[in-house]
């Protein structure tokens, strides 16, 4: 069963590589002629493809977002190494620090209420349902306590553990 799940995940990763044309980014790197020649053995390279309107950095960022939190974390780590990456890729990967698409507000509020054991309108004088920032593992919401103190509430993405375990 685990072998089947691993094969399915590997197939999913391959589909994302093909969808975002990440093989083109890899093949643009300097490499020996014999390794470049092996690219002609990849079946999806036999099919004519449209030119992507997205930059190579955007394609890489979207692929990492699509693959989940472990891959997003890897992109976040890479974004800090501007000495290793071209500026266009580093700039796009830096967006993974706090601009990952958020999960739905209703899920965030339900998670927070479950953890607090009370509705947010009873715990906070004000609660912003729109996240202030969203990243690979969690998103944060601004709130105000009844005594007037400003706080930030962190909501961990739902169903995160199984995804991380699978990867």
């Amino acid at each position: 069963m685990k072998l089947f799940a691993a094969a399915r995940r590997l197939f999913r990763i391959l589909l994302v590589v093909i969808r975002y044309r990440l093989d083109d980014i890899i093949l643009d790197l300097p490499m020996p002629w014999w390794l470049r020649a092996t690219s002609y053995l990849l079946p999806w390279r036999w099919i004519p493809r449209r030119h992507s309107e997205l930059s190579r950095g955007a394609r890489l960022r979207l692929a990492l977002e699509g693959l989940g939190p472990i891959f997003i974390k890897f992109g976040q780590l890479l974004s800090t190494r501007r000495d290793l990456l071209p500026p266009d890729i580093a700039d796009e990967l830096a967006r993974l620090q706090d601009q990952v698409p958020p999960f739905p507000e209703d899920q965030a509020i339900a998670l927070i209420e479950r953890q607090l054991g009370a509705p947010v309108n009873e715990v906070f004088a004000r609660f912003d349902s729109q996240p202030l920032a969203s990243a690979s593992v969690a998103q944060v919401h601004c709130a105000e306590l009844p005594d007037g103190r400003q706080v930030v509430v962190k909501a961990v993405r739902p169903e995160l553990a199984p995804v991380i375990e699978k990867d």
Side-chain angles (χ1 to χ4, degrees):
M1 187 66 173
K2 285 191 181 232
L3 182 61
F4 179 71
R8 207 171 66 211
R9 182 63 174 156
L10 185 59
F11 184 70
R12 168 95 171 95
I13 291 169
L14 182 61
L15 288 177
V16 169
V17 166
I18 294 167
R19 176 178 182 200
Y20 291 104
R21 300 176 59 180
L22 297 184
D23 53 325
D24 290 345
I25 295 172
I26 295 167
L27 292 171
D28 284 345
L29 299 172
M31 63 180 66
W33 68 268
W34 55 269
L35 191 54
R36 185 172 304 283
T38 61
S39 72
Y40 296 107
L41 300 175
L42 303 173
W44 60 87
R45 298 203 50 94
W46 302 341
I47 302 166
R49 299 184 290 175
R50 292 184 293 128
H51 176 72
S52 177
E53 299 297 322
L54 297 171
S55 69
R56 63 186 181 167
R59 292 191 334 249
L60 180 57
R61 177 183 52 81
L62 290 170
L64 294 174
E65 285 177 3
L67 290 171
I70 297 293
F71 290 87
I72 293 170
K73 280 289 180 197
F74 178 65
Q76 290 171 339
L77 177 69
L78 277 178
S79 75
T80 65
R81 295 301 312 265
R82 292 184 173 269
D83 57 324
L84 299 176
L85 297 173
D88 64 318
I89 292 178
D91 290 344
E92 277 293 331
L93 293 182
R95 294 180 62 189
L96 294 174
Q97 297 293 342
D98 61 359
Q99 295 179 26
V100 174
F103 56 92
E105 300 168 9
D106 57 334
Q107 284 184 333
I109 291 171
L111 286 167
I112 292 166
E113 289 178 343
R114 189 174 19 205
Q115 289 295 312
L116 295 175
V120 290
N121 59 0
E122 289 180 12
V123 178
F124 303 107
R126 179 187 53 78
F127 181 84
D128 294 340
S129 59
Q130 284 288 88
L132 175 66
S134 181
S136 61
V137 174
Q139 64 190 35
V140 293
H141 297 264
C142 293
E144 182 180 325
L145 295 174
D147 65 6
R149 288 184 292 164
Q150 301 293 314
V151 295
V152 176
V153 181
K154 188 174 191 177
V156 176
R157 287 187 178 274
E159 305 299 323
L160 189 63
V163 174
I164 291 175
E165 185 178 314
K166 185 170 43 172
D167 284 343

